[in-house]
Amino acid sequence: MPSEYPGLIMLERLQKILSAAGIASRRAAEEIITAGRVAVNGKVVTELGSRADPAQDRITVDGKALRAEGVRSYIVLNKPVGYVTTLKDPQGRPVVTDLLKGIKERVYPVGRLDYNTEGVLLLTNDGELANRLAHPRHEVDKEYMVRVRGSVAPEQLQHLGAGVDLEDGRSAPAVVNLVRESENNSWISITIHEGRYRQVRRMCEAVGLSVVRLKRSRYGILETGDLKPGEFRFLAPAEVDGLRALCKLAGRSVALSKTPILREERKGGGKR
């Protein structure tokens, strides 16, 4: 959109521009810049403090021009086991965006679920919202259903809830409940607001519990609902507003994609 004031230059940091354009999260955008993949008006830029005017300058990533900020897409996917939460995997494993058949906009995952973890995953090209949701200070709840071997002692539940010592520091207090148990397996729910690498698995291991299955049942206000593994849907405007409220973003500042709900067909039966 042309500036209201002709000749006014609106400079922004390149990593912010890339994130707002849906290229990557702000942290990943910094890596793209330092790798020499970004050019402004034909000149490669590798310095993180560099600024540009997205309305005036031609900004390219890997030779492809950025599109002007416009329609935003917000997708909730029921991630199945056997996919990595990234846009490209060096080992050639399936990535979550492989499941988004029919989606024209480039979206990227908010946060990460590891290869063997399933459940709620948000994908969007709204860089500002993604950065806010992922930032620890906003303490967005993430609820997990965990199946562990054998029974669970009350002391183990209390320890998980109070916080456990991990290699990267003590975990914050969590909400932990025993859902059901049998002689062979037990189900517990764990709600955390941190987002460390394999955190729930490591917490369980720290108190002597062996995880058999791990599913994220809720991310903030989002749940899988009736989505089967591998299926996805677009968020309703009220859901986007709810996510923005969680991380203290006022109002809805961008247009939402009006692409109809799509579901990915499940291929084969295979073991999970």
Side-chain angles (χ1 to χ4, degrees):
M1 179 181 296
S3 171
E4 183 180 356
Y5 303 99
L8 181 63
I9 298 176
M10 303 296 289
L11 295 178
E12 297 181 23
R13 290 182 180 272
L14 272 178
Q15 55 263 47
K16 181 178 179 181
I17 296 172
L18 266 58
S19 177
I23 297 298
S25 67
R26 199 169 299 186
R27 181 173 297 179
E30 292 177 352
E31 296 175 359
I32 291 173
I33 294 168
T34 56
R37 296 168 56 190
V38 180
V40 178
N41 299 326
K43 181 179 179 181
V44 174
V45 177
T46 58
E47 188 176 339
L48 291 181
S50 301
R51 295 173 181 266
D53 180 356
Q56 303 288 337
D57 296 317
R58 176 178 168 79
I59 304 169
T60 60
V61 178
D62 296 332
K64 297 181 180 179
L66 265 62
R67 292 190 302 172
E69 183 175 353
V71 174
R72 289 290 181 240
S73 291
Y74 305 86
I75 296 169
V76 59
L77 167 72
N78 187 354
K79 177 196 173 296
V81 170
Y83 286 79
V84 291
T85 312
T86 183
L87 299 181
K88 186 180 295 185
D89 181 54
Q91 301 177 40
R93 295 173 296 179
V95 298
V96 290
T97 48
D98 292 340
L99 296 166
L100 305 183
K101 305 300 184 185
I103 303 301
K104 296 180 181 179
E105 296 88 352
R106 178 172 178 171
V107 295
Y108 54 90
V110 179
R112 186 168 293 187
L113 292 178
D114 66 36
Y115 186 79
N116 292 314
T117 301
E118 57 192 298
V120 179
L121 181 66
L122 173 65
L123 299 102
T124 183
N125 53 5
D126 185 337
E128 183 181 25
L129 178 62
N131 285 319
R132 290 286 192 106
L133 288 171
H135 200 288
R137 75 167 176 268
H138 296 296
E139 299 188 351
V140 177
D141 282 345
K142 306 165 189 70
E143 183 176 1
Y144 294 83
M145 293 294 294
V146 191
R147 187 171 75 185
V148 298
R149 286 194 175 89
S151 59
V152 182
E155 295 78 12
Q156 290 173 306
L157 295 176
Q158 293 170 6
H159 195 177
L160 285 170
V164 297
D165 292 323
L166 303 173
E167 313 90 81
D168 51 356
R170 189 174 182 83
S171 63
V175 177
V176 183
N177 291 294
L178 178 64
V179 178
R180 61 180 180 272
E181 64 179 340
S182 65
E183 185 176 338
N184 297 321
N185 294 287
S186 300
W187 281 94
I188 59 177
S189 69
I190 301 178
T191 303
I192 61 175
H193 60 257
E194 297 177 291
R196 303 192 221 170
Y197 176 68
R198 300 182 73 252
Q199 181 173 341
V200 173
R201 292 182 186 275
R202 292 190 294 133
M203 288 171 62
C204 289
E205 290 168 1
V207 299
L209 295 174
S210 177
V211 175
V212 177
R213 183 178 177 186
L214 180 59
K215 177 178 181 178
R216 184 157 70 186
S217 56
R218 181 170 61 87
Y219 182 86
I221 62 171
L222 301 180
E223 299 180 351
T224 53
D226 63 352
L227 292 176
K228 296 176 182 178
E231 293 183 343
F232 65 92
R233 66 173 177 83
F234 286 88
L235 301 193
E239 291 177 305
V240 177
D241 288 345
L243 290 175
R244 294 178 70 84
L246 279 180
C247 51
K248 300 177 177 60
L249 277 174
R252 187 168 66 248
S253 61
V254 291
L256 272 66
S257 170
K258 292 181 172 58
T259 309
I261 293 175
L262 298 172
R263 296 178 186 269
E264 163 71 354
E265 293 183 4
R266 301 179 69 189
K267 299 178 181 178
K271 282 189 176 182
R272 289 177 44 79

